[in-house]
Amino acid sequence: MATQSPTPGVVPRGARRGWAALPFLTPGTLVLALFVAVPLLLVTSYAFFERGRFGGVVYTFTLDNFVRLADPLYLNVIATSIGTALIVTVLAVALGYPTALVIVRLPPKWRTIALIAVLLPFWTNFLIRTYAWILLLNNAGWINQGLQAVGIIDEPLKMLYTQPAVIIGLLYMYLPLMVLPLYSSLSSQDAQLTEAATNLGSNPFRVFRTITLPLSVPGLLTGCVFVFVPAMSNFVIPELLGGGKTVLIGNLIRDQFLKARDWPFGAALALVLTILLIALIFAQQSASRRVIEGPRERKVKRDA
Amino acid sequence: MRYKAVSLLATAAIASLALSSCASGGGEEAPLDPDADLTKQSLVVSIWADYSPADLAETFEAETGIPVTIVNHATNEDIMGKLTAGGDSGIDVAFVSGQYAQALNEAGLISSLDKALIPNESNLYEEATQLAYDPGNNYSMPYAWGTTGLCYRSDLVAAEPTSWNDLLTPAPDVTGKTTMLATERWMALPALKQLGMSVNTTNPDDLAAVKEQLLETKPTLLAFDDTTFYTKLVSGEASLTQAWDGWCNYGIAEDPNIKFVVPSEGSDLWTDTMTVLKTSKNKEAAMAFINYILEADVQSWVAENILYKVPNEAAMAAVDPAILEAYPNLQMTPAELLKQEVIVDVGEFSPEFTKLATEVMAAG
């Protein structure tokens, strides 16, 4: 009986539990397989084949699509995308953190109203909201008209169709995705911690620095990922607010599929983007785990 | 040549199409039966949005008894994605520009047209049956045609533009107030014509010269714009734009100061055509549909309401003279159009045009 498990019954019981859970797991697994794994595998495989003359792929293996990625032209676009998304994320933190903090401190009734206000723009089609920015920012737009009317400027400011216009558009679009995780992280903090710190003589700034901020880091990191990922791959805003004078990686991928009819190269670009973003999410998760555990627990874990 | 901002939304749809498996279509075509009972057939027609009479399906069914479903595509690339994804797209008749019809034919995806079932082809101008992408209209039937030129606010420019150079090296009064088309073949067109080259060039040196010119032009542009340039003219944001003639007419409709000119160096001649898919099981009805569209009163509606020139002599003769007066570029004769270079598919060279557009747009 040397091969028998020291705790018989565990394996069969566990297996039985697995089977019992099957009906509940199947839908989720199917959804993940159908909408995540299959498309991802297809895109991955397309990246290794040659382009068809009229779109589609010819099933001849090649690494050419990845060689082309090394072209400074495309590296430059990737770098611009990362840079733009970073700026948008930093600005979203700068604007979103105080917003979330204010909302958490509001009385409950106002809190609901404030949260609805944050979400309200999502109820309108995003193309329409982007066109609204065109109305605001253009040379004959409301902002320029207003500034000229009160005599602050003589010549209209050139705002639309510039890099800052793209950043404003992306920031506006994704700011709620920063505010909401921050709100949920801030509102679930134990109020007694800050109370205790205050009772023990900490000033508000110190309370924020040593309690509120560290505890909100996971929400902050989630918000950063939520903003950075779509900001990096958006292709509508660079086109509408950037006047087509700024190309981000999203535009590049869209153009490969829709204009160049070069699916494999588009797939290779999409693959690079996916890998970059997956790496980012892993980094975010390990960073927030580290923050939650704190240096002490990490040491305990290491010693164990 | 019609684009919609919503085309951007179509990307998700295309991406998912891209994922659908590639079955092989085709096979030998059965000959058409001129005596087929058309009322037993039905059609799915894909056309650009707002590019045909809103009641087209009803009037066609009333006349022929053939039920038809109209679906819309936003761009040529959009419909090409659907048609080349493999298998049966479910579409019987697709409207695509001439050079795309040429590509579809080379890919073996569209049928030759049975002229016996399309007697109304005789309504077309002689010139419209000999266009370079499909001489003889063997597999595509022209629906509308036009050219590319400069659309400008005559009250905002110091001198009326006459040359592509007025766009590429703008005078100080219009600098920062010009737009160019963003679609690669048309983005390259002004510089190609300015340098005396063909719009259908397949010479990399030509594109290198174009790139050099466009990198000089880019800082002087307000934007690259395919879809809203005429509203920029109306608002006064832009005063000189590169434009398709029909789109310029939308600006003229709102501001009579807007004018259109074909630059002296010449331009392109583009054609939007009707094609019948090989996978269609309703080819007789499809031919009947094309024949119906070529009726003088159907196509004159297009000229009067969509403000595009139609290659249909009988239809153009029926257009209200007041409309021709208001939109002078509708008066361009086929002979004048034929002076421009017919845009054709450049096949394997087309990625080079895309790369050029990316290089220009991504340049700092």
Side-chain angles (χ1 to χ4, degrees), chain A:
Chain A
M1 290 306 206
T3 54
Q4 196 176 353
S5 155
T7 48
V10 163
V11 173
R13 204 191 300 144
R16 217 178 299 132
R17 222 177 11 237
W19 285 116
L22 202 60
F24 301 99
L25 288 176
T26 309
T29 315
L30 268 180
V31 165
L32 279 178
L34 267 179
F35 297 118
V36 179
V38 171
L40 214 56
L41 282 174
L42 265 174
V43 167
T44 309
S45 65
Y46 278 5
F48 293 94
F49 293 116
E50 284 177 6
R51 76 188 280 267
R53 164 88 168 72
F54 306 101
V57 289
V58 175
Y59 292 95
T60 314
F61 181 83
T62 175
L63 288 173
D64 196 38
N65 299 310
F66 294 96
V67 176
R68 279 171 66 196
L69 278 175
D71 188 321
L73 171 65
Y74 303 120
L75 292 180
N76 206 2
V77 170
I78 294 172
T80 312
S81 307
I82 294 175
T84 306
L86 265 181
I87 295 173
V88 171
T89 310
V90 168
L91 290 174
V93 172
L95 277 175
Y97 203 102
T99 311
L101 211 53
V102 166
I103 295 176
V104 170
R105 306 275 155 95
L106 286 173
K109 190 182 105 191
W110 288 104
R111 208 185 292 172
T112 313
I113 293 174
L115 280 177
I116 290 175
V118 168
L119 282 173
L120 208 57
F122 281 124
W123 296 0
T124 311
N125 179 292
F126 82 113
L127 268 179
I128 294 170
R129 284 184 281 141
T130 307
Y131 272 103
W133 276 105
I134 295 180
L135 286 180
L136 283 173
L137 294 177
N138 79 51
N139 281 353
W142 297 349
I143 293 177
N144 270 318
Q145 278 179 12
L147 290 176
Q148 279 171 305
V150 296
I152 295 174
I153 51 169
D154 297 325
E155 282 289 299
L157 291 177
K158 196 164 164 31
M159 293 181 287
L160 194 57
Y161 315 124
T162 59
Q163 175 83 358
V166 175
I167 288 171
I168 289 175
L170 290 170
L171 178 62
Y172 167 75
M173 191 75 72
Y174 299 122
L175 187 58
L177 299 181
M178 176 64 81
V179 173
L180 294 176
L182 271 174
Y183 168 80
S184 108
S185 161
L186 287 169
S187 64
S188 61
Q189 283 180 15
D190 189 345
Q192 287 181 338
L193 289 174
T194 50
E195 251 169 58
T198 312
N199 287 345
L200 293 169
S202 287
N203 63 31
F205 178 72
R206 184 147 184 220
V207 172
F208 176 77
R209 194 170 55 82
T210 55
I211 297 177
T212 314
L213 183 61
L215 284 175
S216 68
V217 163
L220 185 66
L221 290 174
T222 308
C224 287
V225 169
F226 279 8
V227 172
F228 186 90
V229 170
M232 183 156 166
S233 47
N234 189 299
F235 57 85
V236 179
I237 289 173
E239 195 158 295
L240 292 180
L241 298 183
K245 293 198 282 187
T246 313
V247 176
L248 299 187
I249 189 168
N251 303 78
L252 207 53
I253 295 172
R254 190 269 318 261
D255 288 353
Q256 295 309 316
F257 278 97
L258 290 187
K259 292 188 176 171
R261 290 181 256 155
D262 191 344
W263 296 7
F265 186 54
L269 283 163
L271 193 61
V272 167
L273 183 64
T274 311
I275 290 169
L276 266 175
L277 298 181
I278 289 177
L280 186 74
I281 289 168
F282 273 113
Q284 175 247 340
Q285 292 212 321
S286 83
S288 67
R289 204 177 310 125
R290 198 169 304 179
V291 169
I292 295 166
E293 284 177 354
R296 198 169 158 273
E297 278 115 276
R298 266 210 307 284
K299 188 171 180 303
V300 172
K301 233 186 199 172
R302 207 170 40 238
D303 294 347

Side-chain angles (χ1 to χ4, degrees), chain A residues 46 53 161 243 245 258, chain B residues 18 77 106 221 224 232 361:
Chain A
Y46 278 5
R53 164 88 168 72
Y161 315 124
K245 293 198 282 187
L258 290 187
Chain B
E77 290 81 7
E106 278 170 40
L221 291 178
F224 289 105
K232 293 189 170 96
M361 290 167 99

Side-chain angles (χ1 to χ4, degrees), chain B residues 72-95:
Chain B
N72 288 323
H73 52 259
T75 63
N76 278 308
E77 290 81 7
D78 184 359
I79 183 71
M80 289 297 281
K82 282 185 200 168
L83 300 182
T84 56
D88 186 351
S89 57
I91 293 168
D92 297 291
V93 178
F95 284 65

